[in-house]
Structures are given as C-alpha cells and as structure tokens.
Amino acid sequence: METVWLSLSGVPYFLLYFALAALLLLCFARIYSWVTPHHEFDLIRANNSAAAVAFGGALIGFSIPLASAITHSMSLLDCAIWGGVALVVQVLTFFVVKLTLKQLPARIQQGELAAGIFSAACSIAVGMLNSASMSY
C-alpha cells in the first residue's frame, strides 16, 4: 500500500505540468491562428480538409517539443521557457513554409490538400528537430 501512496504523490506534479502544457498548447493555437492569414477554425468548420491537416500538423509539431520540454525540464518555469522557445520556432516554421510554397494560405483556403499536407509535414519535421535539440 505504501507503494501506491508513493506513486500517487506524483499526481499534483502531473496536474501542474499537464495544466501548463494545455495552457501552452492553447496559446500556440491562438497565436498560430493569428499569424496565418487564413482563418483555420472557419475553414475547418466549413469542412476544408487542407486547413484541418495543416492546423493539425502544426499542433502536433508544437506538441512534440513541448513533450520534450516537460520530460527534460528541471522545474515548471524551465518547462515554460522551453515551451515558449518551441512556440516561437513552430510559428516561424509557418513563415518559412509560406516562403517555400508560393500562395500557401490561398491554397489552403481553396482546399488544396497537397498544400495542407506539405505544411503539416514541415511542422512535424521541425517539431521533431526542435524536440531533439531540447535534449541538452
């Protein structure tokens, strides 16, 4: 029984880190939707698959380094700082992809699935590199 109580003693820390991660994820989603010229949520509500794939890839691309930040952080503040770094890197990724693929926002608005998949793949790839770079 002592082992169970010892195990459960980690629940408050789990809740704190999970709450921080959820907050950072919501912040990322909001900031990402502000910096993109297309309106992700409106497009997704209108059944635009390209927008759903691109936005979903961005969320995954941010969540991967955020998970690394949680795993490798020494405190909630450390986690928040590295989560912020991940957020900036992932938002900048959109701008780089936008330069690489001409008319990216317009193509996503028009529902071009290839543009959405490419954007998502770039976000996930950068997220994986972002995560690996946090393993200091």
Side-chain angles (χ1 to χ4, degrees), residues 15-80:
L15 293 173
L16 287 170
Y17 278 91
F18 190 85
L20 176 62
L23 178 65
L24 286 168
L25 186 62
L26 289 172
C27 287
F28 171 77
R30 190 67 183 137
I31 291 168
Y32 187 86
S33 66
W34 278 340
V35 301
T36 58
H38 51 279
H39 302 284
E40 281 85 2
F41 296 108
D42 291 342
L43 292 171
I44 292 167
R45 282 185 200 102
N47 202 29
N48 183 316
S49 296
V53 169
F55 189 64
L59 291 174
I60 294 167
F62 174 67
S63 295
I64 293 169
L66 182 56
S68 181
I70 292 168
T71 301
H72 296 101
S73 67
M74 296 177 282
S75 67
L76 277 175
L77 179 60
D78 187 40
C79 182

